[in-house]
Coordinates of all heavy atoms in Angstrom, one line a residue:
K11 N -3.5 13.4 -3.6 CA -4.7 13.5 -3.1 C -5.2 15.0 -3.0 O -6.3 15.5 -3.4 CB -4.8 12.9 -1.7 CG -4.9 11.5 -1.7 CD -6.1 10.8 -2.2 CE -6.2 9.4 -2.0 NZ -7.4 8.8 -2.7
Y12 N -4.3 15.9 -2.5 CA -4.6 17.3 -2.4 C -4.6 18.0 -3.7 O -5.5 19.0 -3.9 CB -3.6 17.9 -1.2 CG -4.1 17.5 0.1 CD1 -3.4 16.6 0.7 CD2 -5.0 18.3 0.7 CE1 -3.9 16.2 2.1 CE2 -5.5 17.9 2.1 CZ -4.8 16.9 2.6 OH -5.3 16.6 3.8
K13 N -3.6 17.7 -4.6 CA -3.6 18.3 -5.9 C -4.9 18.0 -6.7 O -5.3 18.9 -7.4 CB -2.3 17.9 -6.6 CG -1.1 18.6 -6.2 CD 0.1 18.2 -7.0 CE 1.3 19.0 -6.7 NZ 2.5 18.4 -7.3
T14 N -5.5 16.9 -6.5 CA -6.6 16.6 -7.4 C -7.9 16.7 -6.6 O -9.0 16.4 -7.0 CB -6.5 15.0 -7.8 OG1 -6.4 14.1 -6.7 CG2 -5.4 14.8 -8.7
N15 N -7.8 17.2 -5.3 CA -8.9 17.5 -4.4 C -9.7 16.2 -4.1 O -10.9 16.3 -3.9 CB -9.9 18.6 -5.0 CG -10.6 19.2 -3.8 OD1 -10.1 19.3 -2.7 ND2 -11.9 19.6 -4.1
D16 N -9.0 15.1 -4.0 CA -9.6 13.7 -3.8 C -9.4 13.5 -2.2 O -8.8 12.7 -1.7 CB -8.9 12.7 -4.5 CG -9.4 11.3 -4.3 OD1 -10.6 11.2 -3.7 OD2 -8.7 10.3 -4.6
I17 N -10.2 14.4 -1.5 CA -10.1 14.3 0.0 C -11.4 14.2 0.6 O -11.9 15.2 1.3 CB -9.2 15.7 0.4 CG1 -9.9 17.0 -0.2 CG2 -7.8 15.6 0.1 CD1 -9.2 18.3 0.2
G18 N -12.2 13.2 0.4 CA -13.5 12.9 0.9 C -13.6 13.1 2.4 O -14.7 13.3 2.9
W19 N -12.5 12.9 3.2 CA -12.6 13.1 4.7 C -12.7 14.5 5.1 O -12.9 14.8 6.2 CB -11.3 12.5 5.3 CG -10.1 13.1 4.8 CD1 -9.4 14.2 5.4 CD2 -9.2 12.8 3.7 NE1 -8.3 14.6 4.7 CE2 -8.2 13.7 3.7 CE3 -9.4 11.8 2.7 CZ2 -7.3 13.6 2.7 CZ3 -8.4 11.8 1.7 CH2 -7.3 12.7 1.7
D20 N -12.2 15.4 4.1 CA -12.2 16.8 4.5 C -13.6 17.5 4.6 O -14.3 17.5 3.5 CB -11.2 17.5 3.5 CG -11.0 19.0 3.8 OD1 -11.9 19.7 4.1 OD2 -9.8 19.4 3.6
I21 N -14.0 17.9 5.7 CA -15.3 18.4 5.8 C -15.5 20.0 5.5 O -16.6 20.5 5.5 CB -15.9 18.2 7.3 CG1 -15.1 18.9 8.3 CG2 -16.1 16.7 7.5 CD1 -15.7 18.7 9.8
G22 N -14.4 20.6 5.2 CA -14.3 22.0 4.7 C -14.6 23.0 5.7 O -14.6 24.2 5.5
H23 N -14.5 22.6 7.0 CA -14.4 23.5 8.1 C -14.1 22.8 9.5 O -13.9 21.7 9.4 CB -16.0 24.1 8.3 CG -17.0 22.9 8.6 ND1 -17.2 22.4 9.8 CD2 -17.9 22.3 7.6 CE1 -18.2 21.4 9.6 NE2 -18.6 21.4 8.4
I24 N -13.9 23.7 10.5 CA -13.5 23.0 11.7 C -14.5 22.0 12.3 O -15.6 22.3 12.2 CB -13.2 24.0 12.8 CG1 -12.7 23.5 14.1 CG2 -14.5 25.0 13.1 CD1 -12.1 24.5 15.2
A25 N -14.1 20.9 12.8 CA -15.0 19.9 13.3 C -15.7 20.5 14.7 O -15.0 21.0 15.4 CB -14.3 18.6 13.6
T26 N -16.9 20.4 14.7 CA -17.6 20.9 15.9 C -17.1 20.4 17.2 O -16.9 21.4 18.1 CB -19.2 20.6 15.8 OG1 -19.7 20.8 14.5 CG2 -20.0 21.3 16.9
P27 N -16.8 19.3 17.5 CA -16.3 18.9 18.9 C -15.0 19.6 19.2 O -14.8 20.0 20.3 CB -16.1 17.5 18.8 CG -17.0 17.0 17.7 CD -16.9 18.2 16.6
L28 N -14.2 19.8 18.2 CA -12.9 20.6 18.4 C -13.0 22.1 18.7 O -12.5 22.6 19.5 CB -11.9 20.3 17.3 CG -11.5 18.8 17.1 CD1 -10.6 18.6 16.0 CD2 -10.6 18.5 18.5
K29 N -14.0 22.6 17.9 CA -14.3 23.9 18.1 C -14.9 24.3 19.5 O -14.4 25.2 20.2 CB -15.5 24.5 17.1 CG -16.0 25.9 17.3 CD -17.1 26.3 16.5 CE -17.5 27.8 16.6 NZ -17.8 28.1 18.0
F30 N -15.7 23.4 20.0 CA -16.3 23.5 21.4 C -15.1 23.4 22.4 O -14.9 24.0 23.3 CB -17.2 22.4 21.7 CG -18.7 22.6 21.3 CD1 -18.8 23.3 20.0 CD2 -19.7 22.3 22.0 CE1 -20.2 23.6 19.6 CE2 -21.1 22.6 21.4 CZ -21.2 23.2 20.3
Y31 N -14.1 22.5 22.2 CA -12.9 22.3 23.0 C -12.2 23.5 23.0 O -11.7 24.1 23.9 CB -12.1 21.1 22.6 CG -10.9 20.8 23.4 CD1 -11.0 20.4 24.7 CD2 -9.7 21.3 23.0 CE1 -9.9 20.3 25.5 CE2 -8.5 21.1 23.7 CZ -8.6 20.6 25.1 OH -7.5 20.5 25.7
F32 N -11.8 24.1 21.7 CA -11.0 25.2 21.7 C -11.6 26.4 22.3 O -11.0 27.2 23.0 CB -10.7 25.6 20.2 CG -9.9 24.6 19.5 CD1 -10.0 24.5 18.1 CD2 -9.1 23.6 20.1 CE1 -9.3 23.5 17.2 CE2 -8.4 22.6 19.4 CZ -8.5 22.5 18.0
D33 N -12.9 26.5 22.2 CA -13.6 27.8 22.8 C -13.5 27.8 24.4 O -13.6 28.8 24.9 CB -15.1 27.7 22.4 CG -15.2 28.0 20.9 OD1 -14.2 28.6 20.2 OD2 -16.4 28.0 20.5
Q34 N -13.1 26.7 25.0 CA -13.0 26.7 26.4 C -11.6 26.8 26.9 O -11.3 27.0 28.1 CB -13.8 25.5 27.1 CG -13.3 24.2 26.6 CD -12.0 23.6 27.4 OE1 -11.8 23.8 28.5 NE2 -11.1 23.0 26.5
L35 N -10.6 26.9 25.9 CA -9.3 27.2 26.3 C -9.1 28.6 26.5 O -9.5 29.5 25.7 CB -8.3 26.7 25.2 CG -8.2 25.1 24.9 CD1 -7.3 24.9 23.6 CD2 -7.8 24.5 26.0
T36 N -8.4 28.9 27.6 CA -8.1 30.3 28.0 C -6.6 30.8 27.9 O -6.3 31.9 27.8 CB -8.4 30.6 29.5 OG1 -7.8 29.7 30.3 CG2 -10.0 30.4 29.6
N37 N -5.7 29.7 27.9 CA -4.3 30.1 27.8 C -3.9 30.2 26.2 O -3.7 29.1 25.6 CB -3.4 29.0 28.4 CG -2.0 29.3 28.4 OD1 -1.5 30.2 27.7 ND2 -1.1 28.5 29.1
K38 N -3.8 31.3 25.7 CA -3.4 31.6 24.3 C -1.9 31.3 24.0 O -1.6 31.3 22.8 CB -3.8 32.9 23.9 CG -5.2 33.4 24.1 CD -6.2 33.1 23.0 CE -7.6 33.4 23.4 NZ -8.4 33.8 22.5
N39 N -1.2 31.0 25.0 CA 0.2 30.8 24.8 C 0.5 29.3 24.7 O 1.8 28.9 24.4 CB 1.0 31.4 26.1 CG 1.0 32.8 26.0 OD1 1.1 33.4 25.0 ND2 0.8 33.4 27.2
L40 N -0.5 28.4 24.7 CA -0.2 27.0 24.6 C 0.5 26.7 23.3 O 0.1 27.3 22.3 CB -1.5 26.2 24.6 CG -2.2 26.1 25.9 CD1 -3.7 25.8 25.9 CD2 -1.5 25.3 26.9

Side-chain angles (χ1 to χ4, degrees):
K11 289 282 188 189
Y12 282 96
K13 283 183 176 177
T14 61
N15 205 32
D16 183 13
I17 50 175
W19 63 87
D20 187 310
I21 61 174
H23 56 82
I24 185 171
T26 308
L28 291 174
K29 179 186 181 305
F30 280 37
Y31 176 75
F32 297 157
D33 287 348
Q34 56 83 43
L35 293 175
T36 56
N37 181 358
K38 306 268 176 148
N39 295 316
L40 290 167

